């Protein structure tokens, strides 16, 4: 008698993504407070630009170089992956993506301040960079729409800071409904909203 074996459903990898300086670190901290373990190596430590930590995982930055052996370790956890690297994710895992949105002029101002703090300056003018960012987000969004193994929700950073409860509830529902919403809301600190436009 022929036995049929069901493919074991994989535990989704929870990804916090978006443009740089769009609130990804804060959202990672919210997920940790809510009860989801972050995948982070603590190599990049907190500084004036991110006083509460970056929550980065260096190997995630090497996706386009083919470093994917760490992905099984990420199942059931939250990992921060910038938008530019999402398209390098392989198709044999399940992903739940929280995609951060922030006003582009605030992203640019925040990046400029970070570069200033490092003694550097941008080599591209704001208008050009803004156009590049907008097109890039559109391309990534189109790619996410076409992935059957990926679900995503948009999180507006500006609205989240103004009124976190609706977004926290949405995130909790999206990720199964077992998160500690009060602890997540407590992470949101409007004092860290410094590049307002």
């Amino acid at each position: 008698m022929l036995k049929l074996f069901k493919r074991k459903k994989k535990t989704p990898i929870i990804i916090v993504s978006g443009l740089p300086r769009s609130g990804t670190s804060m959202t990672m901290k919210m997920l940790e407070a809510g009860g989801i373990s972050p995948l982070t190596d603590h190599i990049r430590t907190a500084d004036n630009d991110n006083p509460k930590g970056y929550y980065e995982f260096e190997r995630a930055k090497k996706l386009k170089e083919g470093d994917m052996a760490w992905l099984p370790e990420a199942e059931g956890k939250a990992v921060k992956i910038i938008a530019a690297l999402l398209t390098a994710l392989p198709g044999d895992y399940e992903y739940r993506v929280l995609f951060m949105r922030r006003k582009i002029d605030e992203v640019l101002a925040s990046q400029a301040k970070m570069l200033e703090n490092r003694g550097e300056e941008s080599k591209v003018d704001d208008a050009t960079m803004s156009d590049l960012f907008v097109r890039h987000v559109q391309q990534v969004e189109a790619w996410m729409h076409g992935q059957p193994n990926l679900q995503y929700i948009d999180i507006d950073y500006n609205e989240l800071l103004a009124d976190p409860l609706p977004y926290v509830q949405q995130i909790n529902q999206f990720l199964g409904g077992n998160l500690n919403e009060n602890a997540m809301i407590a992470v949101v600190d409007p004092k860290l909203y410094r590049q307002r436009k």
Side-chain angles (χ1 to χ4, degrees):
M1 182 177 174
L2 184 64
K3 289 185 178 180
L4 297 176
F5 293 93
K6 281 188 176 180
R7 182 185 171 195
K8 186 180 177 183
K9 192 173 182 180
K10 292 194 172 185
T11 303
I13 297 171
I14 299 162
I15 295 172
V16 177
S17 189
L19 294 173
R21 312 304 296 166
S22 62
T24 52
S25 300
M26 181 186 73
T27 303
M28 285 289 292
K29 189 171 182 63
M30 288 171 62
L31 292 177
E32 181 182 38
I36 294 174
S37 298
L39 182 61
T40 177
D41 49 29
H42 305 289
I43 291 175
R44 190 176 185 184
T45 55
D47 56 25
N48 287 336
D49 295 305
N50 261 20
K52 297 190 177 182
Y54 283 88
Y55 284 84
E56 291 186 353
F57 184 66
E58 287 298 318
R59 290 183 68 182
K61 300 176 184 178
K62 298 179 180 178
L63 277 168
K64 287 190 174 179
E65 299 168 28
D67 185 1
M68 300 179 187
W70 56 271
L71 285 167
E73 183 186 351
E75 289 183 299
K77 297 178 182 177
V79 61
K80 187 164 82 167
I81 299 176
I82 61 168
L85 296 176
L86 284 181
T87 57
L89 289 168
D92 49 352
Y93 290 87
E94 294 289 324
Y95 306 106
R96 299 292 179 270
V97 179
L98 309 183
F99 197 85
M100 302 301 298
R101 307 273 186 168
R102 185 180 184 182
K103 295 175 183 176
I104 294 294
D105 50 357
E106 291 186 1
V107 168
L108 294 171
S110 185
Q111 279 197 316
K113 185 63 178 176
M114 177 182 277
L115 289 172
E116 179 187 322
N117 290 342
R118 295 177 182 175
E120 305 171 18
E121 60 181 42
S122 176
K123 297 176 182 177
V124 183
D125 65 88
D126 280 359
T128 302
M129 185 60 73
S130 177
D131 288 342
L132 289 171
F133 275 160
V134 169
R135 286 202 301 271
H136 171 59
V137 169
Q138 289 172 343
Q139 291 166 353
V140 172
E141 188 172 29
W143 177 84
M144 289 194 294
H145 270 300
Q147 307 308 306
N149 59 321
L150 182 151
Q151 297 176 32
Y152 79 95
I153 57 172
D154 287 324
I155 306 295
D156 187 299
Y157 174 77
N158 306 90
E159 293 179 4
L160 172 64
L161 284 175
D163 185 12
L165 179 58
Y167 279 102
V168 166
Q169 290 175 332
Q170 183 185 12
I171 292 168
N172 191 15
Q173 183 179 12
F174 180 61
L175 298 179
N178 297 313
L179 302 181
N180 184 333
E181 293 184 1
N182 289 332
M184 293 173 72
I185 291 171
V187 167
V188 179
D189 185 357
K191 292 193 296 292
L192 295 178
Y193 182 19
R194 292 172 288 192
Q195 304 300 328
R196 299 173 188 245
K197 296 287 181 180

